[in-house]
Amino acid sequence: MSNEIKTENTAESCWNSIGVWGTSSMRCPKLAEMTHCRNCPVFIDAGSDLLNREIPPGYMDEWTELLGQKKEELNTNNISIIIFRIGREFLALRSAIFREIINPRSVHQIPHRSNDVLLGLTNVHGELQLCFSLKALTGNEDAEQTDESEAKMLVIQSVGECWVFPVDQVLGVFRCNEGDEQNVPVTVSKASGTFTKKVIIYDQREVGLLDDELLIYTLQRRIS
Amino acid sequence: MLLVTFQVNNQHYAINAASVKEIIPMVNIRELPGVPDSVRGVFNYRGSLVPVIDVTRMLSGIPTAELLSSRIILVNYPEDSESIHVLGLLTEHATGTAVRAEETFKASGIDSTDAPWMGEISVEDKAMIQVIKIENLLTDELKSKLFTGSKETA
């Protein structure tokens, strides 16, 4: 084809000489119309001509093997969660509600209001936020104190308000598929004070995914 | 209409993109003895055997060259109203797509009873693209040969 001849000879790299990547003062007359070389048929043809070469050795074997395998189904129904630890128990919350995770800082008790669940107020970026004990809320109080060097505070943003929860460790952000979830045993989910919505098996551990809406709702009731 | 284009003998042809399932590079195709020349063979596509028609050979008599730009266009081939098969079409220069409006298509005006797959030609910007009607690509004889037993639907 005439295009191919043009690409091979005259226009071999016109984009490098008179095109957008060119350094000479001469400019391709078509450039004004095309705006950029990548819109120009000469450049496009040169690009597709690169494919008109022999198949490199091993290429066909590789693709034959690849296409012979069953396609892995991508599960799009996955959600992002952040797994953390309180005592010995691993819990998780949806990543979407997190504002940040901060290093532990002092919590100021509120006279006559602080109790086992409402720990007090803490300073997050100069603003005082309410700090709650997930340990007490989830009925995990008897858990023994563990190494505090990895302790963090979760800052949750929900319904326009901020909620701070100290935890013993944050494992990080994970993705969990719908299929990885298991329903909580009926005996557990019905028990009062349980916020666990689903149980996720992660790294051979059972992680309780907390129902954040229920959690925040309960907290709102507590402080009002 | 979005078309997947390819070339045979420097002539532009196209397949309606709506029937294209996937476009894959050339793979090792197992040849089948005793089938017409236009059937290149079969290959393992995700665990099932898919027949490959050498479109270049069908249209020009020359087998498809083994180049990086030669690709297998996998189409959903309607054998009849009930079953749809995956069929591989081996083509050269299968590197692009084109959008052509319905009104640019014109009948070729030449009797093509020997080649019922020949569709209308789209004339635009000097380049003519002829659409291949994949539903007419295989003769009844070839159809019965290719899809015996494999009654799976895509």
Side-chain angles (χ1 to χ4, degrees):
Chain A
M1 256 169 58
S2 59
N3 269 348
E4 277 172 27
I5 299 158
K6 209 196 296 171
T7 322
E8 278 162 22
N9 302 328
T10 56
E12 192 176 349
S13 59
C14 63
W15 50 91
N16 278 329
S17 53
I18 55 170
V20 285
W21 293 284
T23 44
S24 77
S25 55
M26 273 255 299
R27 276 289 175 262
C28 180
K30 274 193 191 167
L31 201 53
E33 180 198 338
M34 298 289 173
T35 312
H36 194 284
C37 283
R38 64 170 168 249
N39 303 320
C40 176
V42 177
F43 188 71
I44 292 165
D45 286 345
S48 57
D49 268 0
L50 284 175
L51 291 166
N52 291 337
R53 55 198 159 107
E54 292 208 355
I55 295 177
Y59 182 84
M60 267 166 65
D61 294 333
E62 197 185 325
W63 275 102
T64 307
E65 200 194 316
L66 249 163
L67 287 160
Q69 292 163 0
K70 281 252 186 289
K71 202 170 189 172
E72 277 180 40
E73 292 292 322
L74 271 180
N75 194 343
T76 48
N77 289 335
N78 56 11
I79 55 164
S80 169
I81 56 166
I82 290 179
I83 300 180
F84 50 90
R85 182 175 62 83
I86 291 169
R88 276 195 218 153
E89 197 160 353
F90 289 89
L91 298 168
L93 279 164
R94 289 188 302 128
S95 304
I97 60 162
F98 275 77
R99 198 167 90 173
E100 62 184 316
I101 292 166
I102 54 175
N103 283 323
R105 52 201 65 185
S106 59
V107 178
H108 303 276
Q109 289 198 348
I110 313 166
H112 311 297
R113 286 301 302 267
S114 290
N115 51 44
D116 55 345
V117 173
L118 175 58
L119 298 173
L121 291 164
T122 193
N123 178 359
V124 181
H125 298 302
E127 282 180 46
L128 287 176
Q129 307 291 1
L130 290 169
C131 186
F132 297 89
S133 168
L134 270 181
K135 199 179 286 186
L137 263 174
T138 55
N140 194 14
E141 283 160 290
D142 49 294
E144 59 197 75
Q145 278 295 317
T146 47
D147 183 19
E148 282 189 5
S149 62
E150 288 181 290
K152 298 276 180 204
M153 279 178 164
L154 314 179
V155 184
I156 304 290
Q157 177 103 48
S158 185
V159 233
E161 284 175 75
C162 236
W163 314 84
V164 183
F165 304 100
V167 295
D168 293 331
Q169 189 190 357
V170 174
L171 280 83
V173 185
F174 300 93
R175 288 223 153 248
C176 79
N177 294 324
E178 296 275 325
D180 297 345
E181 296 174 0
Q182 296 172 0
N183 284 320
V184 184
V186 181
T187 47
V188 178
S189 61
K190 290 277 169 63
S192 65
T194 293
F195 301 96
T196 312
K197 192 163 62 173
K198 296 268 183 177
V199 171
I200 295 152
I201 306 295
Y202 175 75
D203 202 9
Q204 293 167 342
R205 282 195 203 106
E206 288 183 347
V207 178
L209 177 61
L210 300 181
D211 185 340
D212 49 89
E213 283 169 10
L214 181 64
L215 180 72
I216 300 299
Y217 175 75
T218 312
L219 292 179
Q220 279 176 324
R221 294 278 299 265
R222 283 251 183 174
I223 56 169
S224 57
Chain B
M1 185 154 82
L2 181 65
L3 305 166
V4 175
T5 58
F6 59 94
Q7 290 176 30
V8 177
N9 239 342
N10 287 335
Q11 303 292 308
H12 293 261
Y13 293 90
I15 290 168
N16 187 349
S19 52
V20 174
K21 182 182 165 77
E22 193 177 347
I23 296 174
I24 57 167
M26 225 172 150
V27 295
N28 295 324
I29 298 168
R30 193 196 153 86
E31 288 173 19
L32 299 171
V35 293
D37 288 343
S38 57
V39 181
R40 183 81 166 221
V42 290
F43 80 103
N44 174 2
Y45 175 67
R46 314 246 181 251
S48 54
L49 289 177
V50 168
V52 177
I53 304 293
D54 192 335
V55 177
T56 318
R57 180 145 198 179
M58 201 169 191
L59 270 61
S60 71
I62 307 157
T64 300
E66 295 198 349
L67 298 175
L68 278 178
S69 56
S70 301
R71 287 176 178 153
I72 300 171
I73 304 174
L74 292 174
V75 293
N76 291 318
Y77 179 80
E79 188 195 357
D80 45 50
S81 53
E82 282 155 34
S83 48
I84 293 170
H85 298 276
V86 180
L87 182 68
L89 305 177
L90 186 57
T91 53
E92 285 182 4
H93 295 270
T95 51
T97 55
V99 180
R100 292 293 169 101
E102 299 283 350
E103 56 264 25
T104 64
F105 286 97
K106 302 200 168 44
S108 66
I110 295 163
D111 175 50
S112 56
T113 37
D114 291 341
W117 62 81
M118 288 298 174
E120 293 180 316
I121 300 177
S122 161
V123 188
E124 196 184 294
D125 302 337
K126 289 174 273 180
M128 284 197 228
I129 301 178
Q130 183 160 31
V131 173
I132 300 287
K133 289 193 272 190
I134 57 159
E135 61 274 17
N136 297 344
L137 199 57
L138 305 181
T139 58
D140 288 343
E141 190 198 347
L142 196 52
K143 236 191 272 186
S144 60
K145 273 184 186 165
L146 286 180
F147 300 125
T148 42
S150 65
K151 281 284 176 200
E152 55 171 332
T153 48

